[in-house]
Amino acid sequence: MSNGGLCCGSGPVSPTDDTDDILFVGLQGSGKTLLGQRLRTVYGKAPTTFRLVTTETNGSQDFRIPTFKGCPFKEIRIRECGGSMQPLWRNWYSRPIKAVVFTLDVSDPAALAAGGVELQRVLQHPELSSKPICLALTKVDLPFTATRAELDLALGLCDLQELYPSRLRIMAISSVRSPEECPELEALVDWMIEIKAGDQTVLSAKKN
Ligand SMILES: Nc1nc2c(ncn2[C@@H]2O[C@H](COP(=O)(O)OP(=O)(O)OP(=O)(O)O)[C@@H](O)[C@H]2O)c(=O)[nH]1
Ligand SMILES: [Mg+2]
């Protein structure tokens, strides 16, 4: 499996010199790696055998996500910080990233409270105060997932959306589904493209 550049090892983990556009954070096993792999297939060529198997990200890794034909840039650069590196996520917040995607596994009730606390920390971190955040509710394909009403109750998502109306976007994602089966995957890439372009009209080139 090719995951782009892998940055891990025994030494202290520090941000790389590469410029990343988007930061992926979220608890261990919440679906960042599979989402990065899946997003590459939205406008890129889907591999004949898409592998659902991932390994834990010990450190960080990057994903290059192809954009659509006619987009002013060829790719979106994503940096995933492994859930096991949570105390070090903040090292990336001061980098010139443009937005953050926070993954929350809605099939794991035991992890919801901890995920909600981390989401609040991301939203309130001073280095990220001007950055758009996408809350990706992951694994929505699984049979027993928290409903949106349950999430509103447990995590106060409605209140968060009212508090950060233009900054917080919430999407329900399944990375085991194809982009045709889960249109939110394309919506997420388009959200990243708009943010990287700094121009909401950039998506109009898609239809030409
Ligand atoms: N059913 C289902 N399984 C998923 C989905 N996304 C991820 N998984 C599975 O959940 C497990 C963990 O996914 P990862 O993408 O490795 O999670 P991660 O957030 O990168 O974890 P760390 O690297 O440890 O921080 C893997 O077995 C994935 O195949 C999804 O949308 N649906
Ligand atoms: Mg990972």
mmCIF file of all heavy atoms in Angstrom, residues 32-34 54-57 61 80 82-83, ligand 2:
data_model
loop_
_atom_site.group_PDB
_atom_site.id
_atom_site.type_symbol
_atom_site.label_atom_id
_atom_site.label_comp_id
_atom_site.label_asym_id
_atom_site.label_seq_id
_atom_site.Cartn_x
_atom_site.Cartn_y
_atom_site.Cartn_z
ATOM 1 N N LYS A 32 -8.866 8.119 9.733
ATOM 2 C CA LYS A 32 -8.118 9.128 8.957
ATOM 3 C C LYS A 32 -7.395 8.521 7.759
ATOM 4 O O LYS A 32 -7.446 9.040 6.654
ATOM 5 C CB LYS A 32 -7.091 9.846 9.862
ATOM 6 C CG LYS A 32 -7.702 10.578 11.042
ATOM 7 C CD LYS A 32 -6.658 11.182 11.951
ATOM 8 C CE LYS A 32 -5.827 10.172 12.701
ATOM 9 N NZ LYS A 32 -6.571 9.297 13.611
ATOM 10 N N THR A 33 -6.688 7.404 8.024
ATOM 11 C CA THR A 33 -5.879 6.821 6.950
ATOM 12 C C THR A 33 -6.764 6.306 5.811
ATOM 13 O O THR A 33 -6.509 6.593 4.637
ATOM 14 C CB THR A 33 -5.012 5.665 7.500
ATOM 15 O OG1 THR A 33 -4.134 6.186 8.492
ATOM 16 C CG2 THR A 33 -4.196 5.019 6.397
ATOM 17 N N LEU A 34 -7.814 5.581 6.163
ATOM 18 C CA LEU A 34 -8.670 5.048 5.095
ATOM 19 C C LEU A 34 -9.349 6.193 4.341
ATOM 20 O O LEU A 34 -9.515 6.135 3.124
ATOM 21 C CB LEU A 34 -9.712 4.083 5.672
ATOM 22 C CG LEU A 34 -10.403 3.211 4.618
ATOM 23 C CD1 LEU A 34 -9.406 2.306 3.904
ATOM 24 C CD2 LEU A 34 -11.528 2.373 5.214
ATOM 25 N N THR A 54 -5.783 -0.997 6.879
ATOM 26 C CA THR A 54 -4.850 0.080 7.216
ATOM 27 C C THR A 54 -3.970 -0.381 8.373
ATOM 28 O O THR A 54 -4.298 -1.355 9.041
ATOM 29 C CB THR A 54 -5.596 1.353 7.669
ATOM 30 O OG1 THR A 54 -6.355 1.030 8.835
ATOM 31 C CG2 THR A 54 -6.498 1.904 6.588
ATOM 32 N N THR A 55 -2.882 0.319 8.570
ATOM 33 C CA THR A 55 -2.110 0.077 9.787
ATOM 34 C C THR A 55 -2.085 1.384 10.574
ATOM 35 O O THR A 55 -2.218 2.476 10.002
ATOM 36 C CB THR A 55 -0.653 -0.346 9.470
ATOM 37 O OG1 THR A 55 -0.096 0.600 8.566
ATOM 38 C CG2 THR A 55 -0.598 -1.733 8.876
ATOM 39 N N GLU A 56 -1.928 1.255 11.875
ATOM 40 C CA GLU A 56 -1.923 2.423 12.750
ATOM 41 C C GLU A 56 -0.844 3.405 12.302
ATOM 42 O O GLU A 56 0.262 2.998 11.945
ATOM 43 C CB GLU A 56 -1.648 1.956 14.190
ATOM 44 C CG GLU A 56 -1.678 3.070 15.185
ATOM 45 C CD GLU A 56 -1.369 2.574 16.606
ATOM 46 O OE1 GLU A 56 -1.447 1.355 16.859
ATOM 47 O OE2 GLU A 56 -1.034 3.422 17.436
ATOM 48 N N THR A 57 -1.154 4.676 12.315
ATOM 49 C CA THR A 57 -0.188 5.700 11.922
ATOM 50 C C THR A 57 0.633 6.107 13.143
ATOM 51 O O THR A 57 0.133 6.802 14.023
ATOM 52 C CB THR A 57 -0.921 6.925 11.328
ATOM 53 O OG1 THR A 57 -1.814 6.475 10.316
ATOM 54 C CG2 THR A 57 0.053 7.929 10.744
ATOM 55 N N GLN A 61 1.682 10.955 8.261
ATOM 56 C CA GLN A 61 1.897 10.595 6.862
ATOM 57 C C GLN A 61 1.127 11.564 5.982
ATOM 58 O O GLN A 61 0.220 12.243 6.444
ATOM 59 C CB GLN A 61 1.469 9.156 6.585
ATOM 60 C CG GLN A 61 0.008 8.875 6.794
ATOM 61 C CD GLN A 61 -0.312 7.415 6.517
ATOM 62 O OE1 GLN A 61 0.242 6.809 5.611
ATOM 63 N NE2 GLN A 61 -1.200 6.837 7.304
ATOM 64 N N GLU A 80 -1.803 13.601 7.751
ATOM 65 C CA GLU A 80 -2.492 12.881 8.827
ATOM 66 C C GLU A 80 -1.565 12.747 10.015
ATOM 67 O O GLU A 80 -0.438 12.268 9.878
ATOM 68 C CB GLU A 80 -2.898 11.474 8.377
ATOM 69 C CG GLU A 80 -3.542 10.711 9.539
ATOM 70 C CD GLU A 80 -3.500 9.199 9.428
ATOM 71 O OE1 GLU A 80 -3.160 8.662 8.359
ATOM 72 O OE2 GLU A 80 -3.808 8.554 10.451
ATOM 73 N N GLY A 82 -1.241 10.732 13.433
ATOM 74 C CA GLY A 82 -1.825 9.550 14.058
ATOM 75 C C GLY A 82 -2.472 9.873 15.397
ATOM 76 O O GLY A 82 -2.021 10.770 16.118
ATOM 77 N N GLY A 83 -3.511 9.123 15.724
ATOM 78 C CA GLY A 83 -4.191 9.320 17.003
ATOM 79 C C GLY A 83 -3.268 9.095 18.187
ATOM 80 O O GLY A 83 -3.414 9.736 19.232
HETATM 81 MG MG MG B 2 -3.906 6.407 10.458
#
